[in-house]
C-alpha cells in the first residue's frame, strides 16, 4: 500500500478531493462547495485530479465526472456511490 493509498483510507473522499483540488488548482482556500470551473479548472487539471484520485483509491475514475460534478462534495458523492464496491 502506498502512502497515498493509506492516506485515502484515513480520510473521507470529500476531504481527499478538497486536498486534491487545492493542490492541483493552487488555491488553499477551496472547500467542499468550490466550483472546478470558477477556480480556474481546465481539461489538463481535470486529468490531474482524476489521476490523483485513481492513485489514492485504486479505481479508474472517468475525467468526465470532474466536468459533470464540479465541486469536491458532488464528485465525492458520485465516487462513493459508483465506486464503493470497486
Amino acid at each position: 500500500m502506498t502512502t497515498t493509498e493509506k492516506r485515502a483510507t484515513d480520510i473521507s473522499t470529500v476531504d481527499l478531493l478538497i486536498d486534491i483540488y487545492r493542490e492541483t488548482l493552487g488555491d488553499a482556500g477551496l472547500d467542499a462547495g468550490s466550483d472546478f470551473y470558477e477556480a480556474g479548472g481546465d481539461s489538463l487539471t481535470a486529468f490531474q485530479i482524476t489521476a490523483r484520485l485513481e492513485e489514492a483509491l485504486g479505481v479508474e475514475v472517468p475525467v468526465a465526472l470532474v466536468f459533470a460534478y464540479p465541486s469536491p462534495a458532488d464528485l465525492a458523492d458520485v465516487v462513493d456511490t459508483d465506486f464503493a464496491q470497486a
Side-chain angles (χ1 to χ4, degrees), residues 8-63:
T9 62
D10 293 340
I11 64 173
S12 69
T13 305
V14 71
D15 288 334
L16 175 65
L17 277 163
I18 291 168
D19 288 344
I20 292 171
Y21 271 53
R22 287 175 176 169
E23 292 171 13
T24 57
L25 292 164
D27 184 347
L30 298 176
D31 60 25
S34 295
D35 186 273
F36 173 75
Y37 302 107
E38 291 175 7
D42 57 22
S43 58
L44 178 59
T45 310
F47 278 103
Q48 292 171 339
I49 289 170
T50 56
R52 301 261 320 269
L53 191 56
E54 289 171 9
E55 178 184 339
L57 301 179
V59 296
E60 187 174 332
V61 179
V63 72

Side-chain angles (χ1 to χ4, degrees), residues 13 17 53 57 61 65 74-84:
T13 305
L17 277 163
L53 191 56
L57 301 179
V61 179
L65 291 181
D74 291 341
L75 184 55
D77 285 343
V78 172
V79 169
D80 285 342
T81 300
D82 291 356
F83 301 100

